[in-house]
Amino acid sequence: MRRIRAVLLDIDGVLTVSWRPVPGAVEAVARLRAAGFAVALVTNTTSQTRAWIAATLAEAGFGVGPGDIFTAPAITAAYLARNHPGARCALLNSGDISADLPGVHLTDDPAPDVVILGGAGPEFSYPALNRVFGYLLGGARLVAMGRNLYWRTESGLQLDTGAFLAGLEQAAGVRAEVTGKPAPAFFATALAALGVSAPEAVMVGDDIEADVLAAQRHGPAGDAPQRARRARPGHRLRRRPSRPPRPRGRE
């Protein structure tokens, strides 16, 4: 087995909560770099631009810049350029991320070619979701920046895009093209930028589906599942429960 050369770190819930550093996180990133590991910060955050995230983390003491951060919007822009060049895209997202969507033709056209779902928030109202439903019935493709069901804030867990995405897929009879974690292309982009192969990296996250299991699944074709799990471990941080408890009486 190759030695570990790089570490992929989730941001929300691992390094920060509501953009405030988790105790010891700044020191941990510094120690990883001092030990010679390449470090990339990977996030499905869509409420802020990559430049804003980098500036906020740097102000908090993390020695990072925009080039160290890989976001779902940036990956989405590259995906659309490859797979839907020139498409008229309707964006539903909480926050202005247009700066991270270079080359994407955002439009209010009533008949877009592609619907892009970013992070959920107040913008995900009934009229907005119903409008997206109509676009999908009209033949628009559905691209989602993530399938996360919820995310962690200082106020606790909050619903995220995945909770709405499942309903849209079911109602419109479509399947979204997911560009953020857990999409393999997301991890591949970060690994390529670091110059390492999948067996040489580990992923540290707090979401068992989007971070840990996704990282374990990602790897060169032909790897046996058992070998992949050994060679590309995913590490989950467990400071507090990351999932809401199931209602009693249901399994």
Side-chain angles (χ1 to χ4, degrees):
M1 184 174 70
R2 300 180 187 179
R3 68 182 181 89
I4 300 301
R5 298 174 51 208
V7 180
L8 308 183
L9 297 169
D10 185 27
I11 299 176
D12 263 336
V14 173
L15 299 181
T16 68
V17 173
S18 295
W19 302 110
R20 295 182 180 178
V22 170
V26 171
E27 295 79 8
V29 173
R31 289 180 63 183
L32 285 171
R33 285 190 158 146
F37 293 104
V39 175
L41 277 54
V42 295
T43 178
N44 275 1
T45 296
T46 58
S47 59
Q48 303 291 349
T49 64
R50 184 166 63 165
W52 184 94
I53 294 171
T56 300
L57 294 179
E59 185 177 353
F62 293 98
V64 299
D68 301 312
I69 299 170
F70 298 84
T71 67
I75 301 293
T76 299
Y79 177 86
L80 290 169
R82 290 193 309 270
N83 296 279
H84 302 289
R88 294 167 298 124
C89 301
L91 172 66
L92 179 58
N93 180 67
S94 185
D96 182 6
I97 55 170
S98 56
D100 281 352
L101 295 172
V104 177
H105 180 194
L106 298 178
T107 180
D108 294 325
D109 193 304
D113 303 308
V114 175
V115 172
I116 308 170
L117 290 187
E123 294 80 1
F124 277 55
S125 63
Y126 176 82
L129 290 168
N130 198 47
R131 184 167 59 251
V132 167
F133 175 54
Y135 294 157
L136 299 178
L137 291 181
R141 303 293 291 270
L142 180 57
V143 173
M145 296 188 191
R147 197 178 282 279
N148 304 66
L149 293 172
Y150 43 80
W151 61 295
R152 186 183 305 284
T153 72
E154 289 179 319
S155 302
L157 298 178
Q158 306 284 330
L159 282 178
D160 205 350
T161 304
F164 304 96
L165 179 60
L168 287 170
E169 289 179 319
Q170 183 75 10
V174 301
R175 183 70 174 174
E177 305 164 40
V178 179
T179 52
K181 295 179 297 180
F186 189 101
F187 293 100
T189 299
L191 293 173
L194 295 177
V196 301
S197 63
E200 296 174 308
V202 294
M203 171 73 205
V204 180
D206 68 337
D207 188 311
I208 191 67
E209 297 291 339
D211 295 330
V212 179
L213 294 180
Q216 290 176 344
R217 286 192 296 266
H218 175 70
D223 270 357
Q226 292 84 357
R227 179 186 168 196
R229 283 194 290 269
R230 289 196 303 267
R232 287 172 296 280
H235 293 278
R236 181 186 181 194
L237 301 185
R238 300 179 61 92
R239 292 182 303 278
R240 66 182 76 171
S242 62
R243 287 178 179 272
R246 293 188 179 187
R248 291 184 180 274
R250 297 185 61 184
E251 296 296 331

